[in-house]
């Protein structure tokens, strides 16, 4: 079973290992590349640092401000982002299970009175963490530390495998990945090869471009984490293993 993995290369390698553990083979074809942004970090005191992805923390690691930022707690979405925070040197790490909304709920519970946060963020964000926390009386400085740049063409490995009918399913970790893949696939003349494949998406928002493109078989992870995404993949390949994610046929 060959599964097309479209996320940026470093993360894709981890996904490949997870697929291998489930008896599947990953075909790595990143359609996005992570680029560093040189946004300034305000010279103010923070109550905590917020992170919705590991990329933001990795880009923060080499900044001169990291020394003072590591002195406050980190509130991170998911175990993978929390692990990246520990690698950067944060000693107090709170893990918000879920997505940006979970982070907002946990930050508000941990800081019931107005606080100031730094959000180590990317240029493209699925949820307005700063706006949601402002409604609770908090101040959030959003520092864009990276952006995901789209490839100009579908990677050759994907073009070759799709043309040969060698791909059995496709994973989509973000809406931007799904949109970019569909656009690049159309430009390569591969829409009819892509549409009928089983697709698995990390969340309903991620799956929406696939539905709009007319893909008949799309599974949506029951939770926004990779383990649930791979469960959804297993379910869309073999319905007997379906475990709670949404599915369109």
């Amino acid at each position: 079973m060959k599964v097309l993995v479209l996320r940026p290369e470093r993360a894709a390698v981890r996904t490949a290992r997870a697929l291998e553990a489930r008896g599947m083979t990953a075909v790595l074809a990143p359609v996005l590349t992570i680029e560093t942004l040189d946004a300034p970090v305000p010279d103010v005191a923070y109550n905590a640092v917020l992170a919705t992805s590991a990329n933001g923390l990795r880009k923060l690691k080499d900044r001169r401000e990291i020394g003072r930022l590591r002195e406050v707690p980190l509130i991170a979405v998911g175990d993978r982002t929390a692990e990246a925070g520990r690698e950067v040197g944060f000693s107090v790490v709170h893990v918000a299970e879920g997505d940006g909304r979970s982070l907002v709920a946990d930050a508000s519970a941990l800081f019931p009175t107005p606080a100031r946060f730094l959000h180590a963020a990317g240029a493209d964000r699925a949820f307005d963490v700063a706006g949601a926390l402002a409604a609770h009386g908090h101040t959030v400085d959003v520092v864009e530390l990276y952006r995901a740049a789209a490839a100009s063409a579908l990677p050759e490995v994907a073009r070759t495998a799709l043309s040969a009918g060698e791909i059995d399913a496709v994973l989509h970790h973000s809406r931007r990945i799904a949109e970019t893949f569909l656009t690049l696939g159309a430009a390569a003349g591969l829409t009819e090869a892509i549409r009928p494949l089983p697709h698995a998406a990390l969340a309903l928002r991620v799956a929406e471009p696939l539905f709009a493109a007319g893909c008949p078989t799309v599974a949506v992870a029951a939770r926004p984490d990779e383990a649930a995404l791979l469960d959804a993949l297993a379910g869309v390949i073999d319905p007997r293993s379906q475990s709670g994610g949404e599915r369109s046929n």
Side-chain angles (χ1 to χ4, degrees):
M1 176 73 63
K2 290 186 177 181
V3 180
L4 194 59
V5 179
L6 305 165
R7 66 194 313 206
E9 187 170 355
R10 178 168 179 166
V13 171
R14 294 196 303 270
T15 300
R17 295 193 191 105
L19 285 168
E20 183 179 352
R22 293 181 180 230
M24 291 177 272
T25 299
V27 177
L28 304 187
V31 297
L32 301 178
T33 301
I34 302 302
E35 298 180 346
T36 301
L37 297 177
D38 192 26
V41 176
D43 187 16
V44 298
Y46 292 106
N47 297 99
V49 172
L50 311 178
T52 46
S53 79
N55 285 320
L57 292 170
R58 293 190 185 106
K59 298 303 182 184
L60 195 61
K61 181 178 181 179
D62 296 327
R63 301 292 292 268
R64 61 181 177 80
E65 299 90 353
I66 188 60
R68 64 181 173 87
L69 294 175
R70 284 189 296 228
E71 296 174 0
V72 301
L74 170 68
I75 306 175
V77 171
D79 293 333
R80 182 67 64 185
T81 307
E83 179 183 335
R86 295 185 186 97
E87 291 172 359
V88 168
F90 286 91
S91 58
V92 179
V93 179
H94 178 85
V95 183
E97 299 294 348
D99 54 14
R101 292 171 178 80
S102 301
L103 183 147
V104 168
D106 286 10
S108 298
L110 291 167
F111 295 90
T113 58
R116 185 162 190 167
F117 304 117
L118 171 73
H119 182 190
D124 300 302
R125 296 179 292 281
F127 178 68
D128 183 9
V129 169
L133 282 169
H136 292 273
H138 300 299
T139 298
V140 181
D141 292 330
V142 179
V143 178
E144 295 182 350
L145 297 164
Y146 70 95
R147 67 181 168 208
S152 59
L154 195 66
E156 178 62 30
V157 64
R159 292 200 302 271
T160 300
L162 287 165
S163 297
E166 295 175 349
I167 298 300
D168 298 295
V170 187
L171 285 181
H172 301 271
H173 284 78
S174 74
R175 185 185 181 102
R176 179 93 183 280
I177 284 174
E179 291 172 338
T180 302
F181 175 61
L182 291 170
T183 298
L184 297 179
L190 290 168
T191 296
E192 295 309 313
I194 290 169
R195 186 181 288 127
L197 290 172
H199 298 263
L202 190 66
L204 181 58
R205 183 176 184 277
V206 177
E208 287 170 349
L210 301 167
F211 294 139
C215 298
T217 308
V218 182
V220 181
R223 305 178 310 280
D225 60 57
E226 186 159 89
L229 176 62
L230 297 188
D231 287 344
L233 173 66
V236 81
I237 292 170
D238 179 1
R240 293 172 299 177
S241 62
Q242 187 74 12
S243 58
E246 301 180 37
R247 188 176 178 188
S248 173
N249 291 296

